[in-house]
Amino acid sequence: MDSKPLLVVITGPTAVGKTAVSIALAKALDTVILSADSRQFYAELNIGTAKPDAAQFSEVQHYFVGQLSIHDYYNVARYEADVLQLLPSLFEKHPVVLMVGGSGLYIDAVCRGIDDFPDPTPELRNYLKGILADEGISKLQDLLQQHDPAHMLEVDIANPKRLLRALEVCMTTGKPYSEQRMNQSKARDFRVVKIGLNLPRAELFARIGQRVDQMMVAGLLEETKQFIPLRHLNALNTVGYKELFTYLDGEVSLERAVENIKTNTRRYAKRQLTWFKRDMEMKWFEPHQTAEILDLCIQDY
RNA sequence: GGUGUCGUAGCUCAGUCGGUAGAGCAAUGGACUGAAAAUCCAUGUGUCACUGGUUCAAAUCCAGUCGACACCA
């Protein structure tokens, strides 16, 4: 048997039941959980991100939950580095470690790696955002055509974020983005098993509706109110908070805002599934199949 | 019980002079390398309540039935 330690990734669409499954697995395997949820990172975001509750935290040691402030800048490359730095010490004590969350890009960065690009600088990003606002997306397309015509053939030219990011890399490195994107998996000194949780669509959507209602009962509106002055922060461009801002602005009724949260959560779940479905390494289960998932983990180490 | 209005996509509704139908929302599929709960692309969904009649042709006109709503009793 391979002597490398094992990282078990538990993922799936929002509200499918990842937390409950992962707590049960962590207890059975006597191990810890790394969150791969790009919104649970933020200490201030609690109700709207469906963080594990106090009892669950006390049962299992969690990492990458609440370690950031919403004022902090963070990105997927930093997450990759932070996880890779932490993992060896965890593997010393636990032959299996769990990574749980629904942020597909972040999971891939840990499992496969991500190319070594420079972080964006606020100055350049604001400059390019200004061009987008003043001159439109066609100007960004023109610029990328100059800097990286090869990438123009592959990139989604209607997506401003893709154009903007590619331009940032071109302009800060002086080399075309497409030449620097290796798209190759990096070597890891641990093995990975990927568990995807899913439910029939109607059941998943029902769970989403129930969870949003629970969040409202738990005080999501009050939590959101305190963020009104901070709403421009990226961390608050998040389902749950952004819809309630429109209610607090008087644009829509509370009932309408809550419906919008449910709709946008459903769409988010669908996008997550699109991402995970194309991963051929993913082994799919329903969240009640904890025993089968545990068997798979044990059999693999 | 009577009178009136209405019944078209999952929902809200449009549909002109009769030529078998289309908007919005919802939904569905997809993309994705430092903003990713972000951002972007694509796509329909039909016993036109039912039964009959008129007509070359009915969502459309006529009759009846059923249902919803409003008003009257």
Side-chain angles (χ1 to χ4, degrees), chain A residues 88 103 127 162 259 288:
Chain A
S103 300
Y127 167 71
R162 296 279 130 67
E259 279 309 305
H288 60 84

Side-chain angles (χ1 to χ4, degrees), chain A residues 172-192:
Chain A
T172 52
T173 62
K175 288 184 291 187
Y177 175 78
S178 57
E179 282 181 15
Q180 302 174 74
R181 229 187 82 192
M182 297 296 107
N183 207 12
Q184 283 179 341
S185 292
K186 292 183 188 168
R188 296 299 190 218
D189 50 13
F190 52 86
R191 292 169 297 132
V192 173

